[in-house]
Amino acid sequence: QVQLVESGGGLVQEGGSLRLSCAASASTVRYYAMGWFRQAPGKEREFVAASSWSGGTTDYADSVRGRFTISRVNANNTVSLQMNSLKLEDTAVYYCAAARAIGTFLARGAMDYWGKGTLVTVSS
C-alpha cells in the first residue's frame, strides 16, 4: 500500500510564499502522475496542479496558474508545490494525490492514492 505524506503547510501572510512537499512511501509511484488538490472550509475539494511522471506535462487550475509551480524529484519519490503570491482564497487543506496517468488528472478522474492533507492558512 502506497502512502503519501504531505508537509510544509502553515500560516503565511497574504502575498507570501510557501512550499509544500509530498513524499511517497514506495518507489512504484515513480511512474505515476502526481499532483495536488485542495479543500477550503465549506467547499468541495478542487484540483490545483499535476505533473506527469517525467515532469514533461503539467497542468494547473486557472486560479493558481502563474503563481504556483509543481515539480517532482523521482529519485526520492517526492513532488513539491511552490506557492507564491498567496491570496486569502488559497487557504485550504492541501492534499497530495497520485494516479497511473496524467490523463486522470486532466480528466479530473479518480485518484489511486491520497495523502491526509496539510493545512495552509493565508492571513491578511
Side-chain angles (χ1 to χ4, degrees):
Q1 181 70 15
V2 175
Q3 290 184 325
L4 303 178
V5 180
E6 302 95 338
S7 61
L11 177 65
V12 62
Q13 284 194 324
E14 192 174 15
S17 298
L18 209 57
R19 186 177 181 88
L20 304 182
S21 292
C22 171
S25 63
S27 60
T28 49
V29 298
R30 181 172 301 181
Y31 299 106
Y32 278 53
M34 296 184 72
W36 296 87
F37 290 76
R38 67 185 181 186
Q39 187 167 19
K43 295 187 177 181
E44 293 187 354
R45 187 155 52 187
E46 64 176 2
F47 168 78
V48 176
S51 171
S52 62
W53 74 269
S54 67
T57 300
T58 57
D59 189 29
Y60 295 91
D62 289 342
S63 59
V64 306
R65 186 173 288 112
R67 299 188 297 121
F68 291 11
T69 302
I70 188 169
S71 60
R72 59 189 302 171
V73 180
N74 291 328
N76 56 12
N77 304 322
T78 62
V79 63
S80 298
L81 186 68
Q82 177 67 41
M83 306 185 295
N84 298 328
S85 303
L86 283 162
K87 303 177 181 181
L88 296 176
E89 53 264 41
D90 294 319
T91 294
V93 176
Y94 283 71
Y95 297 90
C96 179
R100 290 182 183 275
I102 187 66
T104 303
F105 281 94
L106 299 178
R108 308 297 187 256
M111 300 294 109
D112 292 291
Y113 301 106
W114 289 96
K116 293 184 178 180
T118 185
L119 177 62
V120 172
T121 304
V122 183
S123 65
S124 59

